[in-house]
Amino acid sequence: MSLTDKAKNKAQQLMGAAKEKAGDRTDNEQMRGEGARQQSEARAKQAGENVKDAGRNVKEAFDR
């Protein structure tokens, strides 16, 4: 996984957290939900990238 992908996922997660907090402070359920969804998407992308990295590592171990 590239450093760029990691940075994009982290940025999306942080933006979601900020949006969720803003929704909490303004009592805006829609914004709170959008923030939670955005964080979940970023975590899912990160998990998928981690699985791909693990697969590459296993492949490389067998190729040696």
Side-chain angles (χ1 to χ4, degrees), residues 5 10 18 23 36 43 53 60:
D5 290 336
K10 191 62 172 178
R43 287 187 195 113
D53 284 346
E60 289 175 6

Side-chain angles (χ1 to χ4, degrees), residues 21-30 32:
K21 280 185 181 183
D24 282 340
R25 289 184 181 151
T26 60
D27 201 29
N28 184 331
E29 284 293 321
Q30 183 177 356
R32 189 179 307 152

Side-chain angles (χ1 to χ4, degrees), residues 3 15 27 42 57 64:
L3 187 59
M15 286 181 356
D27 201 29
N57 292 341
R64 291 181 189 172

Side-chain angles (χ1 to χ4, degrees), residues 4-53:
T4 305
D5 290 336
K6 286 181 182 180
K8 284 180 183 179
N9 292 338
K10 191 62 172 178
Q12 183 180 6
Q13 190 174 357
L14 292 173
M15 286 181 356
K19 195 179 279 188
E20 188 174 12
K21 280 185 181 183
D24 282 340
R25 289 184 181 151
T26 60
D27 201 29
N28 184 331
E29 284 293 321
Q30 183 177 356
M31 186 181 288
R32 189 179 307 152
E34 287 175 9
R37 178 190 51 79
Q38 198 169 12
Q39 288 180 76
S40 295
E41 287 176 1
R43 287 187 195 113
K45 287 179 187 178
Q46 187 69 31
E49 293 294 333
N50 289 340
V51 169
K52 285 196 290 188
D53 284 346

